[in-house]
Amino acid sequence: MPIGPMNDFFLALIWGIGVLLALAGWGRLLALATGQGRGRTSWLAAPAWGIAVSGLLAGLLNEAGLAFRSVDIGYVAVGIALCLTTAIISLRASAPPAGEALRETLRDPVWKLLLAIVLAALAARFCSSIIVSAFNPGSAWRGFRLNPHDDMHSYLVSAERLLQTGTLGIDPFNSRLVMSGFGTQHFLNALVLTVLPPDNVHLLEGGIGLAALCLAAAAVGLRLRLSRRAVLLLMAIPLLMQWLFINISSTVTAAAVLTALVAWGMQPWEKADRRRRIGYAIAGGVLLGGACSLKGTVIPPACAFAGLWAILQIARTRSWRAIEVAVIAGLATLATLAAWMAWSYACGGTALYPLLGKGHMAVAFGILPNLPTQPLADGVTAAMEMGMWAPIIAVILLIAAWSWRRTRAAAPAESWSAVIAAAVAWLASWPVLALATQMPDVERYLAPARAMAVVPAIGAALLLGSWAAAHLPASRLRFAGTIAFLALLVTTAPEWIWTYGVQVPRDIGESVAGLPEASIAGTEI
């Protein structure tokens, strides 16, 4: 093995882990500043929270023209320092109980086996994402790749522009820049490219983002008060899914923030004092704004979840406190997006395409032809073939479980609200994104919403099963969690069989050797 490629591989691996720790550090800062920093859950959700914080800070840096390479390196360094400092403080404050809990956990051989499997799969996925594998627009090619049209015209250009000029600048003729939404995804890509060459850009989504998503899924498990084994099963769910990296826009990072938002929504907030409620609402607003700042196609599921969650909380509590939390969270969301909206208006003539106008987009002037449409019946059939039946079944089963008084007691009311809101948001996003994308890319654009909904839904099934085993031992509901997870294994089998049978072995070899596969129009060269 040549020394050079191995050095490049380990440099990229170390930098990727460093960026992950930095995001966790910035996430811890938000958690501590809003009074949400206690417990293991806040640590698990920290990288996803850090992605959301980056959305806020990146907008300010972009507006000030300060997102240079040196500033980005400092951003990572400060984040790592925050992570290590808060970790040391937390360990000193809770060393005896934490040590005893760890020793108790390590006595469970099944837990250790599950942990080994999850960590091995995550490590394999992380290492396989270190180098871009191909320039291949062929529809049959799966895995990491760069899209010459989107990436070369805008996404890679935007990240490099940030590093060189400190800002995305005013580019009214860049339609892709306006259509894709705000610029957090470019800032996160730039964090990877501060030290590494463009060949490593997929490390953000396929490695760092996936790790953040797995940890956010574990945070959902802790919010549901699941067993240690069940928490690991939730961590494994994102690793069962095949993520379509057609370009370098945000997919897994968006899923991580959305999943962390669901975990946030499961917290009991009604009995907290006003100061803690305000901190809780601000944290939720930053998470929602951070998710929306990643990519325009994340806005429908994010806002659908937040809106439905607020409605359920207000209806459940019938209290002005719920309205207060919703209003403050909404204001925090706008504050998180304000800098990006100002930039978007100056750049593209609209503060949010297309909801607040089409701005300087060519379609606004009638230059581009209308997108083709299809009959409603054909659209419904195509949607069902592409998997719309899954959110429909999930919504029906979850509402049925919540409607029955006995099973409703399996989880706290706030948890049920978050789980149902996530599932409905997944379902509601289908027609919106199918119409916006005209179907071809709806599967990829819905991937964040799928993860956001499937993780808490499987968690609710696992919780329902353990509750039934304790309170209804003769009921078949005690098998609900097992059946739900096995059903997920079966339905995602084509995804994880391909991922671990073909994609990961191929991409690890290319990443370690530093020899990307190159092809043009599906023909390898």
Side-chain angles (χ1 to χ4, degrees), residues 168-184:
L168 290 172
I170 305 302
D171 191 357
F173 303 106
N174 191 334
S175 295
R176 180 61 60 190
L177 196 63
V178 177
M179 287 181 65
S180 63
F182 304 123
T184 301

Side-chain angles (χ1 to χ4, degrees), residues 9 13 120-133 141 143-145 199-200 202-203 206-207 210 245 499-500 502-512:
F9 174 81
L13 180 62
L122 180 57
R125 298 285 286 268
F126 202 104
C127 291
S128 69
S129 70
I130 284 178
I131 192 167
V132 174
S133 300
W141 199 96
F144 297 100
R145 80 182 205 200
D199 285 348
N200 302 111
H202 271 302
L203 178 59
L210 188 60
F245 301 106
T499 298
Y500 296 101
V502 178
Q503 179 182 327
V504 168
R506 177 196 64 202
D507 291 351
I508 285 181
E510 295 174 358
S511 292
V512 172

